[in-house]
């Protein structure tokens, strides 16, 4: 009995190489190992004691299928290993990248913190400079005010200096006449020129009213302070132990003020009145009835230029 022969072209898919990073998809229909297999005819019952031929073909097909299944499992395992390895590499790269980004973020945060501190310091310095600037402007204003006052005082001093210079120039013209006055008749004979006044110092002693009368007989008056800034006498009178009547009386009130003879107020003679005397260069009070030496004064006989500078010489 004739048997049908079945020819089958088996095509086995090759497993992808182990180094390949990707997995292939399922084989296309064109690559099917059963593409050239025509439909098998109805098998004829085999003869007893002998296996049919198509049985062997089926066994071969089963072996090929198992081989294909093993290759597919190996390929899938290789693909799984590659994918796992790739995922691990990606995870490590991701961790490294995340660490690098974390370091950059920390570095940026530190830089921002440093910039914030520098900005705070700059603002503090700016405020301090602003306060110092305000203080400097206030000090400058005060200095300008002081400078204005100083300029005014300087102008006043310049005017006073000009007046003094004018008085000095006027006094130069009278130096010769004043020198001549000491040796000639500017003051009466026996009188002394002192601070613009001709002074007469008595040798006898009298009461204050008698001394005053004697000075009037000489066309003079008892010595008064007048325009002297302080009470001063020649040094030889200060150093002497004598007391000299001067043209002063003391008021009877509790203040006991000095009343000079050239003023309008004058106390009539009585035993209780106290008059002024000069002792050791000081003005003291004493009973007018007591007897002391006295000092008369009168202006010197000067020319007109000399008289204009006499007030200036009295200030020396």
């Amino acid at each position: 009995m004739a048997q049908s022969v079945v020819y089958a072209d088996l095509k086995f898919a090759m497993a992808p190489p182990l180094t390949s990073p990707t997995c292939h998809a399922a084989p296309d229909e064109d690559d099917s190992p059963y593409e050239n297999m025509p439909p098998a005819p109805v098998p004829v019952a085999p003869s007893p004691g002998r296996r049919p031929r198509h049985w062997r073909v089926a066994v071969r097909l089963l072996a090929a299928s198992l081989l294909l299944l093993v290759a597919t499992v190996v390929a899938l395992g290789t693909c799984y290993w590659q994918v796992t390895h790739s995922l691990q590499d990606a995870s490590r790269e991701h961790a490294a990248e995340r660490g690098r980004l974390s370091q950059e973020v920390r570095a940026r945060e530190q830089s921002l913190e440093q910039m914030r501190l520098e900005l705070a310091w700059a603002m503090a310095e700016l405020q301090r400079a602003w306060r110092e600037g305000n203080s400097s402007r206030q000090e400058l204003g005060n200095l300008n005010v002081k400078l204005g006052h100083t300029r005014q005082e300087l102008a006043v001093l310049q005017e006073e200096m000009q007046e003094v210079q004018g008085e000095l120039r006027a006094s130069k013209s009278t130096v010769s006449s004043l020198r001549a006055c000491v040796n000639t008749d500017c003051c009466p004979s026996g009188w002394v020129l002192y601070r613009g006044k001709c002074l007469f110092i008595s040798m006898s002693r009298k009461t204050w009213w008698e001394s005053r009368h004697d000075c009037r007989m000489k066309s003079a008056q008892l010595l008064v302070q007048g325009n002297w800034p302080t009470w001063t006498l020649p040094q030889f009178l200060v150093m002497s132990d004598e007391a000299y009547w001067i043209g002063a009386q003391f008021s009877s009130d509790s203040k006991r003020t000095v009343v000079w003879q050239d003023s309008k107020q004058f106390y009539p003679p009585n035993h209780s009145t106290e008059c002024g005397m000069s002792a050791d260069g000081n003005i003291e009070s004493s009973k007018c009835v007591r007897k002391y030496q006295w000092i008369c004064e009168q202006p010197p006989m000067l020319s007109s230029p000399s008289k204009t500078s006499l007030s200036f010489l009295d200030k020396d």
Side-chain angles (χ1 to χ4, degrees), residues 158-178 305-306 308-310 312-313:
Q158 287 179 348
E159 292 179 358
E160 293 179 355
M161 185 178 66
Q162 291 176 357
E163 293 178 358
V164 170
Q165 288 177 350
E167 293 176 351
L168 287 175
R169 285 192 295 269
S171 65
K172 289 180 180 179
S173 62
T174 62
V175 171
S176 58
S177 61
L178 290 176
S306 300
T308 57
S309 61
L310 184 59
F312 174 74
L313 293 176

Side-chain angles (χ1 to χ4, degrees), residues 10 36 38 80 97 112 129-130 151 162 164 169 187 190 195 200 202 204 208 219 221 250 264 269 283 293 312:
L10 300 178
N36 296 325
Y80 175 77
E97 184 68 16
L112 289 176
W130 183 77
R151 287 177 177 175
Q162 291 176 357
V164 170
R169 285 192 295 269
C187 291
R195 298 180 65 87
F200 170 79
S202 70
S204 59
W208 186 85
S219 299
Q221 65 179 9
F250 284 82
K264 296 180 180 179
I283 300 176
Q293 294 177 275
F312 174 74

